[in-house]
Amino acid sequence: MEAKKNILIIDDDPDYVEAIKLILEGDGYHVDFSNDTESGYKKLMDSTPHLLVLDIMMGKGAEGIIFARKMRKEEKLKELPVLMITSIREQTGFFFPGQAAHPFYLPVDELVEKPIDAKVLLQKVETLLGK
């Protein structure tokens, strides 16, 4: 039997975190979460999950982008798959989920728009985990 994959969610919206957590746990994943980037970074460094689900807009602005850049500088986190889920496109028209983002500007593996359909979420997670 395959061991459960560990997923960390970093998002400051507790209702959204709970919804994503329920979907992922319902599919057999072990899910931990953090509502801010500081505690999220500590969790990443203490026990690296198999996948990170990250929001862009937290705290004082686009902390998710800053966080993604910071984590990619850490040797143990360079290869960690990151699924970024955001509603920023609605606010700015700048990002286009489903299309490649410049890896130096937004160093994540996949960008999808909130709200995300449960089937799409699970499909993206499975793809990023290499299932």
Side-chain angles (χ1 to χ4, degrees), residues 25-97:
E25 287 177 341
D27 205 50
Y29 295 101
H30 176 266
V31 181
D32 195 5
F33 67 92
S34 177
N35 294 117
D36 63 80
T37 54
E38 186 176 324
S39 62
Y41 192 77
K42 182 174 178 357
K43 286 184 179 192
L44 275 179
M45 295 306 289
D46 289 347
S47 60
T48 307
H50 296 98
L51 174 72
L52 173 62
V53 176
L54 180 63
D55 186 24
I56 288 182
M57 299 304 291
M58 293 182 279
K60 298 177 184 175
E63 286 186 19
I65 294 172
I66 295 164
F67 183 88
R69 290 178 182 165
K70 177 182 176 181
M71 67 168 275
R72 290 299 192 209
K73 293 178 182 176
E74 290 290 336
E75 192 60 39
K76 77 182 259 182
L77 302 176
K78 281 183 177 180
E79 301 300 319
L80 176 68
V82 178
L83 172 62
M84 188 166 270
I85 303 177
T86 187
S87 59
I88 195 171
R89 180 174 174 252
E90 293 175 4
Q91 297 169 6
T92 67
F94 186 71
F95 294 107
F96 299 94

Side-chain angles (χ1 to χ4, degrees), residues 1 6 9 12 22-23 42-43 46 51-54 56 75 109-110 112 129-130:
M1 182 177 199
N6 298 315
I9 302 169
D12 63 350
L22 286 171
I23 293 166
K42 182 174 178 357
K43 286 184 179 192
D46 289 347
L51 174 72
L52 173 62
V53 176
L54 180 63
I56 288 182
E75 192 60 39
D109 298 285
E110 185 76 45
V112 293
L129 291 173

